[in-house]
Amino acid sequence: MLDFLYFLTPIFRIRQIGTMMLFTFKRKVSLIFCLVGNALYCNSAIAITPNAVDLNGVYFTPILTLNETYDDNIWNASGIEGDPVQASWVTTIQPQLNLSAIDRLNVYEIDYRLKHSEYHSKDDENKTEHFLSTSADMEFTTRHRLKLSAKHTKQQEDRDSTNRNPLNNESANKYQYSELAALYGFGAKAAKMYIDLGLEGQNYKYLNNRYSASQTHLRDHDTLSALIRANYNYSAKTRFILETQYSDYSYKSSNLDNEVWRYLAGVNWQPSAKLGTLAKFGVQDKTFSDAGIDDASNQVWEAAINWSPKTYSLFTLSTSNKTEEGSATESFINTDQYNIAWQHEWLTRLVTNLKYTFEKNKYGLLNDLGTARQDDVNKYLVSISYAFRNWLGFELGYEYVNQNSNFDINSYDRNQIYLNTKMSL
């Protein structure tokens, strides 16, 4: 993700709020981060400019997002016999509180968001999720930088085929996630060469369905990851990248313990203010501790092209390959993803978005038993947003997802029509 931030830097502008320099985006940040974060759809693409309250050098920003959605398949159900489709209107309320401060070149931030969703046709699907994060981005000198961050969330997944089976008497899977991360940068970014060193720890723990049909206790695990990246500034417009990543996955109750090595080489090329590119390619080796589970080796990549022919229009192409951890039914999930998007600012306050994503998901077999699952996923989004005031914005949108799987129970279509309202001070 850090490379994408470097890649997009020229698109950002700096806006002064009191004595604090805040990075904002000229109505484009939501689109870019949705795409490069491997998620086509974000909570809201509404661009508002909230006024931070100055609390003696600490800036407080409250934001409230209201969403009304008609969802014709809240469970991602296939519709085949025994797996009925359930539709519902869904009302979502998201209050968010942000505290930030700056001390010379050091930026500190704490952010909390609550997300409560009411399903009007299915009360037992109602859920409340929590998202807490904090970060300290410090620049001691031009040659020494350190970013520290921490996250803790409590979330609920969409129902899967096991949850939906009435014989299992299960609700949707709930889990909590914690993360601690540090990224140290050595060397001036304007110098010929500089390096990044990263360390990250993660913890996943499922909170329900632990010993019922879903056996979610088998998915509890800790992850320890390390990163070393060398950056070589060939010219003012070109930066070459060499990167090695290591991750150790340690499971509490299953035999999925494994180690992953990733080796990537790439280039960040920005020939003009209108065009920017980033491409990294390499290999990944995933080795399981259990000799009965097949190891996996594959090519990996991250690439994106941003083209802005006009200051008010942006086209984005991106693609990536990622491998996620498995569960009680698969050893891993490998995903190839391809995105294309267009965002256009017709008027100062009126913006439209068109987005398309294609994903191919391949599931690793456990103990070479059965047939490996494969999914082809198509996602479409069209939306229009209007900033009525600097502190008040609206977005009307339509999303369609089609998933075709070699297991019929995992194939589905899903349509959502939504209206978002975002407001602040």
Side-chain angles (χ1 to χ4, degrees), residues 138-139 142-146 183-189 194:
M138 297 167 285
E139 187 167 340
T142 57
R143 299 181 62 190
H144 298 279
R145 299 169 300 281
L146 179 63
L183 182 68
Y184 170 68
F186 175 71
K189 290 184 179 180
Y194 62 94

Side-chain angles (χ1 to χ4, degrees), residues 65-67 90-95 112-119 123 125-131:
T65 303
L66 306 176
N67 175 280
V90 185
T91 301
T92 303
I93 302 173
Q94 294 189 74
Y112 171 71
R113 177 167 58 92
L114 180 147
K115 182 179 180 182
H116 179 74
S117 301
E118 290 277 342
Y119 291 77
D123 290 343
E125 294 300 312
N126 295 348
K127 60 184 179 182
T128 301
E129 300 173 294
H130 303 270
F131 306 83

